[in-house]
Amino acid sequence: AQTGGGVSACAVCDGALPAYRNQLATHLAGNPADGRAWALLARMDLALEHYGDAAMAFDRAIRASRKVAVDPEIWVDYAEAVGMAEGRTLRGRPEAFIAKALELDPGNPRALEMADSLAMERGDPAAAARHWQLALARLDAADPRAADLARAVARAGSLAAPGGMT
């Protein structure tokens, strides 16, 4: 996207994210207690698919700032980073981070979605259906995701029925 004067309005679109990431890393070298900057670095690493680096930065962010540590979105992103870094699974440490996000906000849509995926990964469609139902209840009926989510609830419910998972 171009703005007036030919300057790109989208750092990711024009490939500048790695440069911004490096500037932020330099800032953090002199300001290691900046939890919000660690969280931003972690999210940049997540966007760049540097999952191990993202996981380490999320850990630093949570340890550096109580405000960051009570943000359920941080825990969801942390779960994603660790899950991708440790074998593309939500089992293990990511599971604990999803639980933390849901403890902080029981209706967090992204945490519920990850809990759904974890339940399906474990072969527990009934638990997935419960999480999806909670997520669906939080969506406005006009939300375009509502129809897909309703289908997912129905599918998980049918899988959970006797004889549904074979």
Side-chain angles (χ1 to χ4, degrees):
Q2 295 286 325
T3 59
V7 177
S8 175
C10 178
V12 176
C13 301
D14 67 11
L17 187 59
Y20 290 136
R21 187 244 176 252
N22 292 338
Q23 288 175 355
L24 188 56
T26 299
H27 163 78
L28 283 164
N31 300 283
D34 189 343
R36 290 180 188 203
W38 280 112
L40 182 56
L41 181 73
R43 286 181 166 151
M44 287 180 176
D45 282 338
L46 193 59
L48 292 167
E49 298 180 358
H50 299 161
Y51 302 117
D53 292 337
M56 287 187 289
F58 280 121
D59 181 63
R60 294 287 302 263
I62 288 165
R63 288 188 288 122
S65 169
R66 279 189 277 148
K67 285 184 180 181
V68 171
V70 297
D71 181 348
E73 291 295 322
I74 292 292
W75 290 97
V76 170
D77 288 339
Y78 193 8
E80 179 182 353
V82 171
M84 293 299 287
E86 296 179 358
R88 300 184 180 276
T89 180
L90 294 175
R91 293 182 187 203
R93 289 191 327 142
E95 187 173 354
F97 302 153
I98 295 165
K100 179 66 176 181
L102 288 170
E103 174 188 316
L104 293 168
D105 179 5
N108 181 284
R110 291 185 58 225
L112 287 168
E113 181 181 330
M114 289 186 100
D116 304 336
S117 297
L118 175 61
M120 290 303 283
E121 190 175 317
R122 287 182 162 164
D124 187 353
R130 288 190 300 274
H131 292 298
W132 281 325
Q133 188 62 50
L134 287 170
L136 181 60
R138 294 186 60 99
L139 289 180
D140 182 87
D143 190 307
R145 297 172 293 174
D148 288 339
L149 199 49
R151 283 190 292 276
V153 169
R155 181 173 179 271
S158 69
L159 288 172
M165 287 210 53
T166 56

